DNA sequence: ATAAACCCTATTTTATTTATAGGGTTTATA
DNA sequence: TATAAACCCTATAAATAAAATAGGGTTTAT
């Protein structure tokens, strides 16, 4: 299951995408729209900014805005940033690999093999679907 | 990520599958093989039994054993039993549906739509891959 | 008889997620 | 140039969920 953090991030990005023409959008506007605590959302937006998905403008009238085309923000990137691994097992994670400590030999583990397939199919979707796809109804 | 409970369950089923000819297998044998706490594993095996995947035999020489062909135990069933939903969002779960409380309208939510696709592709694998597939190397 | 194993319920521990708190810095604009 | 609006940072608390432990009762093969 995706964490609330990730869900909030996706909703925030969607909101920023929809209001892209209006320049910087205040945290407040987004947090009210989706009933997210202002401070919690702030942390998330900062992470998105550090990851070069968002830009920000300080001072009165400031806020956040997309600095990439929605088509250039794959969902996989957002999920990995806020949630970590997409894979169902650490031993098949591409970005957060760790051996499973229950498993003796990865190369002969049948569970491992199946989970690689699940990972690949999931990534096929999440790396190709972008914010743009979410924006269009 | 799959919980340890699910991983333990899969390993236990695999072990039981491999030693199917030997009749009832004691918890102890499995917990030693995979370094799982005896009591914790016991809980898991009981759940698997309640779900009609395992049978058990009491008394000296007793233990657990598969009561289905490995080909009749899809991985989706094991995961759902121990971990709950397979979907990435409650609002797209087939077996554990709940509305997302951040989301105003499910029918127009782009995130919802993508996650249905992820769910379907994941299930396509996990419902067709069975214990049998895990058993063969 | 008894030891081995099943069966059950409750509690504790640990980790993770979610949220809050509080304050400092920057900057547009009146 | 004061000030309000918004960014930025670190730390901590509260809530929830996962993992493990505890302890004891019941069944049954030998």
């Amino acid at each position: 299951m995706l964490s609330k953090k990730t869900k909030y991030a996706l909703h925030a990005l969607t909101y920023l995408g929809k209001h892209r023409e209006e320049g910087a959008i205040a945290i407040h506007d987004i947090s009210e729209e989706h009933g997210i605590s202002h401070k919690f959302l702030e942390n998330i937006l900062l992470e998105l900014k550090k990851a070069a998905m968002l830009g920000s403008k300080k001072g009165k009238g400031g806020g956040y805005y997309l600095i990439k085309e929605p088509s250039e923000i794959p969902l996989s990137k957002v999920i990995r940033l806020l949630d970590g691994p997409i894979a169902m097992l650490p031993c098949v994670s591409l970005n957060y690999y760790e051996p499973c400590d229950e498993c003796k030999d990865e190369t002969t583990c049948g569970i491992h093999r199946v989970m690689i397939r699940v990972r690949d199919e999931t990534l096929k979707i999440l790396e190709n679907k972008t914010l743009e796809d979410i924006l269009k109804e």
Side-chain angles (χ1 to χ4, degrees), chain A residues 3 21 32 35 43 66 79 84 129:
Chain A
S3 68
E21 312 301 320
E32 278 220 324
N43 281 325
L66 293 177
I79 295 174
K129 289 286 177 186

Side-chain angles (χ1 to χ4, degrees), chain A residues 86-134:
Chain A
I86 287 170
M88 283 190 147
L89 292 179
C91 69
V92 300
S93 170
L94 295 172
N95 288 255
Y96 298 86
Y97 172 84
E98 270 184 66
C100 286
D101 36 42
E102 306 79 32
C103 184
K104 285 180 174 168
D105 182 6
E106 214 164 84
T107 60
T108 61
C109 177
I111 304 169
H112 180 84
R113 224 178 317 120
V114 172
M115 292 308 163
I116 284 182
R117 275 204 53 197
V118 174
R119 179 203 68 194
D120 287 343
E121 288 302 317
T122 304
L123 283 181
K124 209 182 279 178
I125 300 167
L126 295 179
E127 287 186 336
N128 289 309
K129 289 286 177 186
T130 66
L131 183 56
E132 188 179 34
D133 296 300
I134 284 183

